[in-house]
Amino acid sequence: MSVADLVASSESPVSSDADLLVVVVGTFPNAEALSAWPGLEDSLVATGFKGTAGSTMRVSLPAVTDKPILVAGAGSDIDAEAVRSIVGQVVRATTGFAKLGIVLTGDTANYPEEAAEGAALGSYSFDSYKTSTPTERATSVVLFAEANADRATVIGDAVALVKDLVNMPAQDMGPSELADAAVVAVEGLPVTVTVLDEKMLEEKGFGGILGVGQGSDRAPRLVHLDYNPENAERHIALVGKGITFDTGGLSLKPAAAMVGMKEDMAGAATVLSVVQAAARLGGNNRVTAWMCITDNMPSGRAIRPGDVLTHFGGTTVEVLNTDAEGRLVLGDGIAAASEERPDVIIDVATLTGAIIVALGMRHTGVFGDEEIVADILESSAMEDELAWHMPLPEHMESELDSPIADMQNAKIGDSAGGALFAGLFLRRFVGKTSDAEDAPRIPWAHLDIAGSSWHKGSPYGYTDKGATGASVRSLINLVTRNA
């Protein structure tokens, strides 16, 4: 679904053609902030409205305007996320009005860009499979402030792209469909797209992707996207896990754990959306993406526990758990990305249930080299996305050892540090900065979005149930900042 048409305007809210005016306020009393709305504070105080975060109240001010007014509280701690959240909440939850007008008052007026972003994020909905006509959200939002509505729209579109792809049932979003969606998403943009089908994957030796996908009737794909502006200052390579449905393979998941496994391609959707946004915003960094796409299905052709896969670049892996498949496809993607010798590699994946045990459902786990991890955490903080630095303990390296191959993909019967083990596994596929024997490894980071990519509970702020687009805004921030 598209986000609402979003514009910034300097016209008077009361003379605009908005169907509903949304006045964003902090906590009371604050007469100065509402001086342009005579009688509003008295009306709110009389009804007991305090302006606490997330609160709303419908009021009428016939002496000022005949338009309906919704007052929305941003709370006492006014910051970027408070404004982004309350504007997103109002746009998400308000129905029955075609055009909303957003008015910022008091300290909330210091965050027009965040308000625009909240409006873009909150306007998303996914109802493609409903047979009844849902109550429509606003299709147009006017922000009465000076803000870069174009950038907010690009960010909103990028998050919406991820949500659309992840929310889509797996029956309609298999490997070929996801590859096709990638081509369409960057159509008309300065992005080169290469799609490798199963024959090309076999010719080039992508044994991880082929191995995971061999149990499915739907053939795997690898999509390479390249946004390479002239005089690019830095090359950032992104690698995304794209398991369009994960049954666990022969290491079959329990029924309850299989529900929602259409979301296992969120990493691939994320890296696609970041390239799209970078190209639309015209960033001065080269951004490439590798979407490692396949099903993980059980059949007579599926890989078995104990089988050995040979990955792109030659690394061999003994597969002890076919449900630890994301790291197998990412291994191919990271090795391929390394051949281009980028300045940094970042992989994004719904990789482990262990990260949910460690961090819950809203934090993204960030692993990797200190400098790039710090860069990602800075971007996450700037965008108010929750992220946490996770360790990669050297003492666990020996747990990767296989008696018959270079590595094993899982620790059977040992759940300790599962997300850390996965990170150490992926790091082994990161190549060197040059052919020199003593060349250092390419700076690398791994984002585990297994918890943060999906929201199961009640909607809040600009976040609805379903796919969240976690880490998209942080990564757009990262790749579009100057080197």
Side-chain angles (χ1 to χ4, degrees), residues 99-133:
K99 190 170 188 177
L100 302 182
I102 309 294
V103 183
L104 305 176
T105 69
D107 290 342
T108 70
N110 296 326
Y111 302 97
E113 307 290 339
E114 290 77 10
E117 203 171 275
L121 295 169
S123 65
Y124 176 85
S125 63
F126 187 87
D127 50 36
S128 302
Y129 292 83
K130 288 185 178 291
T131 56
S132 59
T133 303

PDB file of all heavy atoms in Angstrom, residues 99-133:
ATOM      1  N   LYS A  99      -8.673  14.069   4.266  1.00  0.00           N
ATOM      2  CA  LYS A  99      -7.506  14.955   4.325  1.00  0.00           C
ATOM      3  C   LYS A  99      -7.325  15.483   5.738  1.00  0.00           C
ATOM      4  O   LYS A  99      -8.203  16.155   6.283  1.00  0.00           O
ATOM      5  CB  LYS A  99      -7.676  16.114   3.348  1.00  0.00           C
ATOM      6  CG  LYS A  99      -6.434  16.963   3.157  1.00  0.00           C
ATOM      7  CD  LYS A  99      -6.624  17.928   2.005  1.00  0.00           C
ATOM      8  CE  LYS A  99      -5.329  18.659   1.665  1.00  0.00           C
ATOM      9  NZ  LYS A  99      -5.509  19.550   0.480  1.00  0.00           N
ATOM     10  N   LEU A 100      -6.181  15.171   6.316  1.00  0.00           N
ATOM     11  CA  LEU A 100      -5.859  15.634   7.663  1.00  0.00           C
ATOM     12  C   LEU A 100      -4.910  16.819   7.580  1.00  0.00           C
ATOM     13  O   LEU A 100      -4.004  16.855   6.743  1.00  0.00           O
ATOM     14  CB  LEU A 100      -5.188  14.521   8.471  1.00  0.00           C
ATOM     15  CG  LEU A 100      -5.947  13.212   8.665  1.00  0.00           C
ATOM     16  CD1 LEU A 100      -5.138  12.266   9.541  1.00  0.00           C
ATOM     17  CD2 LEU A 100      -7.318  13.467   9.282  1.00  0.00           C
ATOM     18  N   GLY A 101      -5.102  17.778   8.485  1.00  0.00           N
ATOM     19  CA  GLY A 101      -4.169  18.890   8.625  1.00  0.00           C
ATOM     20  C   GLY A 101      -3.499  18.810   9.986  1.00  0.00           C
ATOM     21  O   GLY A 101      -4.182  18.735  11.012  1.00  0.00           O
ATOM     22  N   ILE A 102      -2.175  18.770  10.002  1.00  0.00           N
ATOM     23  CA  ILE A 102      -1.419  18.621  11.254  1.00  0.00           C
ATOM     24  C   ILE A 102      -0.837  19.971  11.647  1.00  0.00           C
ATOM     25  O   ILE A 102      -0.106  20.599  10.866  1.00  0.00           O
ATOM     26  CB  ILE A 102      -0.280  17.593  11.103  1.00  0.00           C
ATOM     27  CG1 ILE A 102      -0.799  16.277  10.523  1.00  0.00           C
ATOM     28  CG2 ILE A 102       0.417  17.373  12.441  1.00  0.00           C
ATOM     29  CD1 ILE A 102      -1.752  15.530  11.397  1.00  0.00           C
ATOM     30  N   VAL A 103      -1.120  20.408  12.877  1.00  0.00           N
ATOM     31  CA  VAL A 103      -0.617  21.673  13.396  1.00  0.00           C
ATOM     32  C   VAL A 103       0.224  21.396  14.634  1.00  0.00           C
ATOM     33  O   VAL A 103      -0.260  20.770  15.589  1.00  0.00           O
ATOM     34  CB  VAL A 103      -1.778  22.626  13.759  1.00  0.00           C
ATOM     35  CG1 VAL A 103      -1.224  23.966  14.235  1.00  0.00           C
ATOM     36  CG2 VAL A 103      -2.723  22.810  12.580  1.00  0.00           C
ATOM     37  N   LEU A 104       1.464  21.833  14.627  1.00  0.00           N
ATOM     38  CA  LEU A 104       2.362  21.636  15.764  1.00  0.00           C
ATOM     39  C   LEU A 104       2.365  22.891  16.619  1.00  0.00           C
ATOM     40  O   LEU A 104       2.449  24.007  16.100  1.00  0.00           O
ATOM     41  CB  LEU A 104       3.785  21.337  15.278  1.00  0.00           C
ATOM     42  CG  LEU A 104       3.940  20.157  14.320  1.00  0.00           C
ATOM     43  CD1 LEU A 104       5.394  20.040  13.852  1.00  0.00           C
ATOM     44  CD2 LEU A 104       3.487  18.856  14.970  1.00  0.00           C
ATOM     45  N   THR A 105       2.286  22.725  17.942  1.00  0.00           N
ATOM     46  CA  THR A 105       2.287  23.872  18.842  1.00  0.00           C
ATOM     47  C   THR A 105       3.391  23.713  19.883  1.00  0.00           C
ATOM     48  O   THR A 105       3.848  22.600  20.167  1.00  0.00           O
ATOM     49  CB  THR A 105       0.940  24.017  19.570  1.00  0.00           C
ATOM     50  OG1 THR A 105       0.777  22.928  20.495  1.00  0.00           O
ATOM     51  CG2 THR A 105      -0.215  24.033  18.585  1.00  0.00           C
ATOM     52  N   GLY A 106       3.799  24.850  20.473  1.00  0.00           N
ATOM     53  CA  GLY A 106       4.800  24.804  21.534  1.00  0.00           C
ATOM     54  C   GLY A 106       6.079  24.112  21.098  1.00  0.00           C
ATOM     55  O   GLY A 106       6.557  24.290  19.969  1.00  0.00           O
ATOM     56  N   ASP A 107       6.641  23.295  21.988  1.00  0.00           N
ATOM     57  CA  ASP A 107       7.908  22.617  21.697  1.00  0.00           C
ATOM     58  C   ASP A 107       7.779  21.577  20.590  1.00  0.00           C
ATOM     59  O   ASP A 107       8.777  21.195  19.976  1.00  0.00           O
ATOM     60  CB  ASP A 107       8.443  21.940  22.969  1.00  0.00           C
ATOM     61  CG  ASP A 107       8.927  22.941  24.001  1.00  0.00           C
ATOM     62  OD1 ASP A 107       9.173  24.107  23.612  1.00  0.00           O
ATOM     63  OD2 ASP A 107       9.049  22.573  25.186  1.00  0.00           O
ATOM     64  N   THR A 108       6.570  21.097  20.317  1.00  0.00           N
ATOM     65  CA  THR A 108       6.420  20.109  19.240  1.00  0.00           C
ATOM     66  C   THR A 108       6.773  20.721  17.886  1.00  0.00           C
ATOM     67  O   THR A 108       7.137  20.004  16.952  1.00  0.00           O
ATOM     68  CB  THR A 108       4.992  19.544  19.187  1.00  0.00           C
ATOM     69  OG1 THR A 108       4.075  20.529  18.725  1.00  0.00           O
ATOM     70  CG2 THR A 108       4.562  19.005  20.542  1.00  0.00           C
ATOM     71  N   ALA A 109       6.689  22.048  17.776  1.00  0.00           N
ATOM     72  CA  ALA A 109       7.004  22.727  16.516  1.00  0.00           C
ATOM     73  C   ALA A 109       8.488  22.651  16.175  1.00  0.00           C
ATOM     74  O   ALA A 109       8.886  22.997  15.055  1.00  0.00           O
ATOM     75  CB  ALA A 109       6.546  24.180  16.573  1.00  0.00           C
ATOM     76  N   ASN A 110       9.314  22.211  17.123  1.00  0.00           N
ATOM     77  CA  ASN A 110      10.749  22.067  16.857  1.00  0.00           C
ATOM     78  C   ASN A 110      11.068  20.806  16.060  1.00  0.00           C
ATOM     79  O   ASN A 110      12.231  20.591  15.694  1.00  0.00           O
ATOM     80  CB  ASN A 110      11.530  22.028  18.178  1.00  0.00           C
ATOM     81  CG  ASN A 110      11.422  23.324  18.954  1.00  0.00           C
ATOM     82  OD1 ASN A 110      11.349  24.403  18.363  1.00  0.00           O
ATOM     83  ND2 ASN A 110      11.400  23.227  20.276  1.00  0.00           N
ATOM     84  N   TYR A 111      10.052  19.982  15.779  1.00  0.00           N
ATOM     85  CA  TYR A 111      10.299  18.693  15.127  1.00  0.00           C
ATOM     86  C   TYR A 111       9.398  18.486  13.908  1.00  0.00           C
ATOM     87  O   TYR A 111       8.669  17.499  13.819  1.00  0.00           O
ATOM     88  CB  TYR A 111      10.094  17.558  16.135  1.00  0.00           C
ATOM     89  CG  TYR A 111      10.980  17.665  17.351  1.00  0.00           C
ATOM     90  CD1 TYR A 111      10.508  18.230  18.531  1.00  0.00           C
ATOM     91  CD2 TYR A 111      12.304  17.225  17.306  1.00  0.00           C
ATOM     92  CE1 TYR A 111      11.327  18.350  19.642  1.00  0.00           C
ATOM     93  CE2 TYR A 111      13.131  17.346  18.416  1.00  0.00           C
ATOM     94  CZ  TYR A 111      12.639  17.904  19.578  1.00  0.00           C
ATOM     95  OH  TYR A 111      13.456  18.019  20.677  1.00  0.00           O
ATOM     96  N   PRO A 112       9.467  19.399  12.946  1.00  0.00           N
ATOM     97  CA  PRO A 112       8.601  19.249  11.763  1.00  0.00           C
ATOM     98  C   PRO A 112       8.972  18.043  10.901  1.00  0.00           C
ATOM     99  O   PRO A 112       8.084  17.385  10.341  1.00  0.00           O
ATOM    100  CB  PRO A 112       8.813  20.564  11.009  1.00  0.00           C
ATOM    101  CG  PRO A 112      10.163  21.038  11.435  1.00  0.00           C
ATOM    102  CD  PRO A 112      10.281  20.628  12.869  1.00  0.00           C
ATOM    103  N   GLU A 113      10.275  17.746  10.772  1.00  0.00           N
ATOM    104  CA  GLU A 113      10.691  16.606   9.941  1.00  0.00           C
ATOM    105  C   GLU A 113      10.178  15.292  10.534  1.00  0.00           C
ATOM    106  O   GLU A 113       9.708  14.406   9.813  1.00  0.00           O
ATOM    107  CB  GLU A 113      12.218  16.548   9.832  1.00  0.00           C
ATOM    108  CG  GLU A 113      12.881  17.834   9.364  1.00  0.00           C
ATOM    109  CD  GLU A 113      12.589  18.135   7.909  1.00  0.00           C
ATOM    110  OE1 GLU A 113      12.222  17.197   7.173  1.00  0.00           O
ATOM    111  OE2 GLU A 113      12.710  19.314   7.512  1.00  0.00           O
ATOM    112  N   GLU A 114      10.263  15.187  11.852  1.00  0.00           N
ATOM    113  CA  GLU A 114       9.797  13.972  12.519  1.00  0.00           C
ATOM    114  C   GLU A 114       8.277  13.842  12.432  1.00  0.00           C
ATOM    115  O   GLU A 114       7.751  12.732  12.319  1.00  0.00           O
ATOM    116  CB  GLU A 114      10.255  13.971  13.976  1.00  0.00           C
ATOM    117  CG  GLU A 114      11.751  13.775  14.153  1.00  0.00           C
ATOM    118  CD  GLU A 114      12.583  15.018  13.870  1.00  0.00           C
ATOM    119  OE1 GLU A 114      11.988  16.104  13.722  1.00  0.00           O
ATOM    120  OE2 GLU A 114      13.820  14.916  13.798  1.00  0.00           O
ATOM    121  N   ALA A 115       7.588  14.980  12.483  1.00  0.00           N
ATOM    122  CA  ALA A 115       6.134  14.943  12.327  1.00  0.00           C
ATOM    123  C   ALA A 115       5.758  14.437  10.937  1.00  0.00           C
ATOM    124  O   ALA A 115       4.837  13.615  10.784  1.00  0.00           O
ATOM    125  CB  ALA A 115       5.551  16.339  12.556  1.00  0.00           C
ATOM    126  N   ALA A 116       6.478  14.919   9.925  1.00  0.00           N
ATOM    127  CA  ALA A 116       6.222  14.462   8.559  1.00  0.00           C
ATOM    128  C   ALA A 116       6.485  12.968   8.432  1.00  0.00           C
ATOM    129  O   ALA A 116       5.706  12.230   7.798  1.00  0.00           O
ATOM    130  CB  ALA A 116       7.096  15.242   7.579  1.00  0.00           C
ATOM    131  N   GLU A 117       7.572  12.526   9.045  1.00  0.00           N
ATOM    132  CA  GLU A 117       7.910  11.106   8.993  1.00  0.00           C
ATOM    133  C   GLU A 117       6.844  10.270   9.700  1.00  0.00           C
ATOM    134  O   GLU A 117       6.436   9.205   9.210  1.00  0.00           O
ATOM    135  CB  GLU A 117       9.275  10.894   9.652  1.00  0.00           C
ATOM    136  CG  GLU A 117       9.995   9.648   9.218  1.00  0.00           C
ATOM    137  CD  GLU A 117      11.422   9.631   9.751  1.00  0.00           C
ATOM    138  OE1 GLU A 117      12.305  10.220   9.118  1.00  0.00           O
ATOM    139  OE2 GLU A 117      11.641   9.015  10.826  1.00  0.00           O
ATOM    140  N   GLY A 118       6.388  10.736  10.853  1.00  0.00           N
ATOM    141  CA  GLY A 118       5.343  10.018  11.576  1.00  0.00           C
ATOM    142  C   GLY A 118       4.075   9.892  10.756  1.00  0.00           C
ATOM    143  O   GLY A 118       3.417   8.841  10.739  1.00  0.00           O
ATOM    144  N   ALA A 119       3.727  10.972  10.040  1.00  0.00           N
ATOM    145  CA  ALA A 119       2.529  10.938   9.198  1.00  0.00           C
ATOM    146  C   ALA A 119       2.687   9.909   8.084  1.00  0.00           C
ATOM    147  O   ALA A 119       1.756   9.156   7.784  1.00  0.00           O
ATOM    148  CB  ALA A 119       2.272  12.320   8.614  1.00  0.00           C
ATOM    149  N   ALA A 120       3.867   9.879   7.468  1.00  0.00           N
ATOM    150  CA  ALA A 120       4.103   8.917   6.383  1.00  0.00           C
ATOM    151  C   ALA A 120       4.053   7.486   6.905  1.00  0.00           C
ATOM    152  O   ALA A 120       3.461   6.598   6.275  1.00  0.00           O
ATOM    153  CB  ALA A 120       5.453   9.195   5.727  1.00  0.00           C
ATOM    154  N   LEU A 121       4.656   7.246   8.052  1.00  0.00           N
ATOM    155  CA  LEU A 121       4.680   5.891   8.609  1.00  0.00           C
ATOM    156  C   LEU A 121       3.295   5.452   9.085  1.00  0.00           C
ATOM    157  O   LEU A 121       2.889   4.305   8.891  1.00  0.00           O
ATOM    158  CB  LEU A 121       5.674   5.828   9.769  1.00  0.00           C
ATOM    159  CG  LEU A 121       7.148   6.058   9.427  1.00  0.00           C
ATOM    160  CD1 LEU A 121       7.977   6.225  10.696  1.00  0.00           C
ATOM    161  CD2 LEU A 121       7.694   4.927   8.574  1.00  0.00           C
ATOM    162  N   GLY A 122       2.570   6.374   9.707  1.00  0.00           N
ATOM    163  CA  GLY A 122       1.267   6.023  10.276  1.00  0.00           C
ATOM    164  C   GLY A 122       0.182   5.805   9.249  1.00  0.00           C
ATOM    165  O   GLY A 122      -0.839   5.178   9.538  1.00  0.00           O
ATOM    166  N   SER A 123       0.380   6.305   8.028  1.00  0.00           N
ATOM    167  CA  SER A 123      -0.677   6.201   7.020  1.00  0.00           C
ATOM    168  C   SER A 123      -0.717   4.845   6.335  1.00  0.00           C
ATOM    169  O   SER A 123      -1.639   4.570   5.562  1.00  0.00           O
ATOM    170  CB  SER A 123      -0.498   7.296   5.969  1.00  0.00           C
ATOM    171  OG  SER A 123       0.710   7.119   5.230  1.00  0.00           O
ATOM    172  N   TYR A 124       0.253   3.975   6.620  1.00  0.00           N
ATOM    173  CA  TYR A 124       0.292   2.663   5.966  1.00  0.00           C
ATOM    174  C   TYR A 124      -0.805   1.731   6.497  1.00  0.00           C
ATOM    175  O   TYR A 124      -1.099   1.713   7.699  1.00  0.00           O
ATOM    176  CB  TYR A 124       1.647   1.991   6.188  1.00  0.00           C
ATOM    177  CG  TYR A 124       1.715   0.585   5.629  1.00  0.00           C
ATOM    178  CD1 TYR A 124       2.038   0.369   4.306  1.00  0.00           C
ATOM    179  CD2 TYR A 124       1.408  -0.517   6.425  1.00  0.00           C
ATOM    180  CE1 TYR A 124       2.074  -0.908   3.770  1.00  0.00           C
ATOM    181  CE2 TYR A 124       1.443  -1.807   5.905  1.00  0.00           C
ATOM    182  CZ  TYR A 124       1.775  -1.997   4.580  1.00  0.00           C
ATOM    183  OH  TYR A 124       1.793  -3.270   4.054  1.00  0.00           O
ATOM    184  N   SER A 125      -1.376   0.948   5.592  1.00  0.00           N
ATOM    185  CA  SER A 125      -2.282  -0.128   6.004  1.00  0.00           C
ATOM    186  C   SER A 125      -2.182  -1.253   4.989  1.00  0.00           C
ATOM    187  O   SER A 125      -1.778  -1.034   3.838  1.00  0.00           O
ATOM    188  CB  SER A 125      -3.732   0.364   6.102  1.00  0.00           C
ATOM    189  OG  SER A 125      -4.210   0.782   4.832  1.00  0.00           O
ATOM    190  N   PHE A 126      -2.524  -2.452   5.406  1.00  0.00           N
ATOM    191  CA  PHE A 126      -2.498  -3.609   4.505  1.00  0.00           C
ATOM    192  C   PHE A 126      -3.808  -4.358   4.661  1.00  0.00           C
ATOM    193  O   PHE A 126      -4.070  -4.970   5.694  1.00  0.00           O
ATOM    194  CB  PHE A 126      -1.321  -4.528   4.841  1.00  0.00           C
ATOM    195  CG  PHE A 126      -1.137  -5.652   3.848  1.00  0.00           C
ATOM    196  CD1 PHE A 126      -0.375  -5.464   2.706  1.00  0.00           C
ATOM    197  CD2 PHE A 126      -1.719  -6.890   4.055  1.00  0.00           C
ATOM    198  CE1 PHE A 126      -0.200  -6.485   1.782  1.00  0.00           C
ATOM    199  CE2 PHE A 126      -1.559  -7.921   3.146  1.00  0.00           C
ATOM    200  CZ  PHE A 126      -0.790  -7.721   1.996  1.00  0.00           C
ATOM    201  N   ASP A 127      -4.637  -4.287   3.632  1.00  0.00           N
ATOM    202  CA  ASP A 127      -5.932  -4.975   3.684  1.00  0.00           C
ATOM    203  C   ASP A 127      -6.262  -5.613   2.339  1.00  0.00           C
ATOM    204  O   ASP A 127      -7.429  -5.761   1.976  1.00  0.00           O
ATOM    205  CB  ASP A 127      -7.035  -3.999   4.103  1.00  0.00           C
ATOM    206  CG  ASP A 127      -7.020  -2.710   3.281  1.00  0.00           C
ATOM    207  OD1 ASP A 127      -6.721  -2.777   2.080  1.00  0.00           O
ATOM    208  OD2 ASP A 127      -7.297  -1.645   3.855  1.00  0.00           O
ATOM    209  N   SER A 128      -5.226  -6.015   1.616  1.00  0.00           N
ATOM    210  CA  SER A 128      -5.406  -6.513   0.250  1.00  0.00           C
ATOM    211  C   SER A 128      -6.277  -7.756   0.174  1.00  0.00           C
ATOM    212  O   SER A 128      -6.855  -8.046  -0.882  1.00  0.00           O
ATOM    213  CB  SER A 128      -4.035  -6.807  -0.379  1.00  0.00           C
ATOM    214  OG  SER A 128      -3.236  -5.659  -0.391  1.00  0.00           O
ATOM    215  N   TYR A 129      -6.381  -8.515   1.254  1.00  0.00           N
ATOM    216  CA  TYR A 129      -7.095  -9.788   1.213  1.00  0.00           C
ATOM    217  C   TYR A 129      -8.459  -9.727   1.906  1.00  0.00           C
ATOM    218  O   TYR A 129      -9.127 -10.741   2.037  1.00  0.00           O
ATOM    219  CB  TYR A 129      -6.231 -10.892   1.830  1.00  0.00           C
ATOM    220  CG  TYR A 129      -5.013 -11.205   0.986  1.00  0.00           C
ATOM    221  CD1 TYR A 129      -3.865 -10.432   1.081  1.00  0.00           C
ATOM    222  CD2 TYR A 129      -5.017 -12.255   0.070  1.00  0.00           C
ATOM    223  CE1 TYR A 129      -2.753 -10.699   0.295  1.00  0.00           C
ATOM    224  CE2 TYR A 129      -3.913 -12.535  -0.722  1.00  0.00           C
ATOM    225  CZ  TYR A 129      -2.789 -11.751  -0.604  1.00  0.00           C
ATOM    226  OH  TYR A 129      -1.683 -12.024  -1.394  1.00  0.00           O
ATOM    227  N   LYS A 130      -8.875  -8.540   2.335  1.00  0.00           N
ATOM    228  CA  LYS A 130     -10.185  -8.396   2.977  1.00  0.00           C
ATOM    229  C   LYS A 130     -11.277  -8.284   1.908  1.00  0.00           C
ATOM    230  O   LYS A 130     -11.106  -7.580   0.907  1.00  0.00           O
ATOM    231  CB  LYS A 130     -10.197  -7.161   3.877  1.00  0.00           C
ATOM    232  CG  LYS A 130      -9.377  -7.324   5.150  1.00  0.00           C
ATOM    233  CD  LYS A 130      -9.537  -6.119   6.041  1.00  0.00           C
ATOM    234  CE  LYS A 130      -8.763  -6.290   7.346  1.00  0.00           C
ATOM    235  NZ  LYS A 130      -9.364  -7.332   8.198  1.00  0.00           N
ATOM    236  N   THR A 131     -12.365  -8.973   2.128  1.00  0.00           N
ATOM    237  CA  THR A 131     -13.478  -8.902   1.174  1.00  0.00           C
ATOM    238  C   THR A 131     -14.433  -7.759   1.498  1.00  0.00           C
ATOM    239  O   THR A 131     -15.130  -7.264   0.620  1.00  0.00           O
ATOM    240  CB  THR A 131     -14.258 -10.227   1.160  1.00  0.00           C
ATOM    241  OG1 THR A 131     -14.709 -10.524   2.489  1.00  0.00           O
ATOM    242  CG2 THR A 131     -13.386 -11.356   0.656  1.00  0.00           C
ATOM    243  N   SER A 132     -14.456  -7.340   2.769  1.00  0.00           N
ATOM    244  CA  SER A 132     -15.291  -6.195   3.137  1.00  0.00           C
ATOM    245  C   SER A 132     -14.487  -4.914   2.941  1.00  0.00           C
ATOM    246  O   SER A 132     -13.260  -4.923   2.968  1.00  0.00           O
ATOM    247  CB  SER A 132     -15.736  -6.304   4.597  1.00  0.00           C
ATOM    248  OG  SER A 132     -14.607  -6.368   5.451  1.00  0.00           O
ATOM    249  N   THR A 133     -15.172  -3.817   2.748  1.00  0.00           N
ATOM    250  CA  THR A 133     -14.495  -2.535   2.552  1.00  0.00           C
ATOM    251  C   THR A 133     -14.132  -1.952   3.906  1.00  0.00           C
ATOM    252  O   THR A 133     -15.011  -1.637   4.718  1.00  0.00           O
ATOM    253  CB  THR A 133     -15.404  -1.554   1.805  1.00  0.00           C
ATOM    254  OG1 THR A 133     -15.786  -2.138   0.560  1.00  0.00           O
ATOM    255  CG2 THR A 133     -14.668  -0.244   1.556  1.00  0.00           C
TER     256      THR A 133
END
